[in-house]
Amino acid sequence: MSIPKPLVQVNQVFLIVFVLLSWLISPLLFLFPLVVGIIALAFRRNIIMRAFTPSLKRPAREYVQEDAAQQRFNQWIATICLAVAFISYSFGFEVIMYIMSGMVVLAAALALSGYCIGCTIRYRYMMWKYNRKNSHSN
């Protein structure tokens, strides 16, 4: 299964915008992308991507496709980072809040510019699992 790249990019922009707004207005705004992330992970339905699907000018299959499993992995990372950021804020640890939410902004910005840090992490994890499995069977 795959996702049209423009929808992935909309989600990345959404994350960047809401984290920056959270910094400028109120950390309570972390709740919006956090809830969107939880819903996406729980139901495999990203409401931001769904909302923007009608704005695609061509049929979805005609766009460059992104791997859905990779996008779920990336969503896990972003959602966990945002949850830690919000919890940190709730307990008065603002430095941790900025670090964790800043990682989301950095990862999304890098992805928009063509480098997916989540892809690198997942690839290395999969290689570690593969090597671990094969070294135990010898």
Side-chain angles (χ1 to χ4, degrees), residues 54-117:
S55 69
L56 293 176
K57 293 182 178 9
R58 296 178 282 161
R61 69 183 178 283
E62 291 183 15
Y63 290 93
V64 171
Q65 300 293 304
E66 298 283 342
D67 181 55
Q70 180 63 57
Q71 295 311 310
R72 272 191 303 281
F73 183 84
N74 295 347
Q75 188 70 61
W76 271 107
I77 295 171
T79 303
I80 290 167
C81 287
L82 290 172
V84 171
F86 184 74
I87 292 166
S88 298
Y89 164 74
S90 298
F91 286 100
F93 299 115
E94 287 190 18
V95 171
I96 296 172
M97 175 196 78
Y98 284 112
I99 291 170
M100 297 306 289
S101 59
M103 290 189 335
V104 173
V105 169
L106 180 61
L110 284 171
L112 285 169
S113 67
Y115 176 70
C116 175
I117 187 70

Side-chain angles (χ1 to χ4, degrees), residues 38-60:
I38 291 168
I39 290 169
L41 293 169
F43 300 104
R44 293 189 176 203
R45 300 274 189 267
N46 184 305
I47 59 175
I48 299 305
M49 290 183 192
R50 291 279 176 162
F52 281 88
T53 298
S55 69
L56 293 176
K57 293 182 178 9
R58 296 178 282 161

Side-chain angles (χ1 to χ4, degrees), residues 8-25:
V8 173
Q9 291 171 320
V10 163
N11 192 56
Q12 293 160 341
V13 170
F14 163 75
L15 289 169
I16 292 169
V17 167
F18 264 87
V19 169
L20 295 178
L21 287 175
S22 298
W23 292 350
L24 296 172
I25 298 170

